[in-house]
């Protein structure tokens, strides 16, 4: 199985990579271990192939554990402004 993810630009490389690694981790947990992903940036005419390693699998599990801890809290953490906040789909969730 090959997961295809298409993005407009490569400005947010690490979040996109984590998103795709999560998809591969999830497939592995469902018994589909021989999978890979291709991230395509059409405007840049560039593709990146991704396979999940054992260390990346551990990183995904740690991130998911951190997310669960945040969800258990009574109040959400304070938002931190990032350079891309104004263009983010969740802007109103954090700042309104």
């Amino acid at each position: 199985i090959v997961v295809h993810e298409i993005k407009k630009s490569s400005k947010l490389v690490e979040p996109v990579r984590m998103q795709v690694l999560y998809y591969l981790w999830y497939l592995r947990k469902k018994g589909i271990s021989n999978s890979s992903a291709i991230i395509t940036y059409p405007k840049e005419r560039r593709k990146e192939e991704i396979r999940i390693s054992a260390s990346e699998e551990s990183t995904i599990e740690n991130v998911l554990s951190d997310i669960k801890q945040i969800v258990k809290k009574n109040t959400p953490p304070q938002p931190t402004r990032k350079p891309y906040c104004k263009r983010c789909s969740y802007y109103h969730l954090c700042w309104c």
Side-chain angles (χ1 to χ4, degrees):
I1 289 180
V2 179
V3 175
H4 288 268
E5 185 71 23
I6 300 172
K7 297 294 182 181
K8 286 185 177 182
S9 76
S10 60
K11 287 182 180 179
L12 302 174
V13 174
E14 191 59 28
V16 170
R17 185 171 172 72
M18 291 298 286
Q19 176 184 5
V20 170
L21 287 172
Y22 171 76
Y23 296 155
L24 297 176
W25 173 85
Y26 187 82
L27 288 172
R28 190 174 279 189
K29 292 299 175 192
K30 293 295 181 181
I32 303 169
S33 59
N34 192 18
S35 58
S36 64
I38 296 175
I39 304 171
T40 304
Y41 304 98
K43 288 184 179 180
E44 300 172 12
R45 295 183 181 179
R46 189 169 73 85
K47 292 182 180 182
E48 180 182 354
E49 185 172 352
I50 306 229
R51 293 193 179 274
I52 191 166
S53 67
S55 66
E56 290 168 329
E57 191 172 333
S58 176
T59 299
I60 293 295
E61 290 172 355
N62 290 337
V63 168
L64 290 172
S65 176
D66 291 346
I67 290 170
K68 288 176 185 175
Q69 293 302 316
I70 291 170
V71 169
K72 287 180 183 178
K73 292 183 178 183
N74 292 331
T75 58
Q78 291 296 316
T80 306
R81 285 201 188 269
K82 307 273 193 251
Y84 48 82
C85 280
K86 289 187 178 182
R87 295 183 310 275
C88 178
S89 302
Y90 300 103
Y91 179 84
H92 294 296
L93 181 65
C94 295
W95 303 108
C96 293

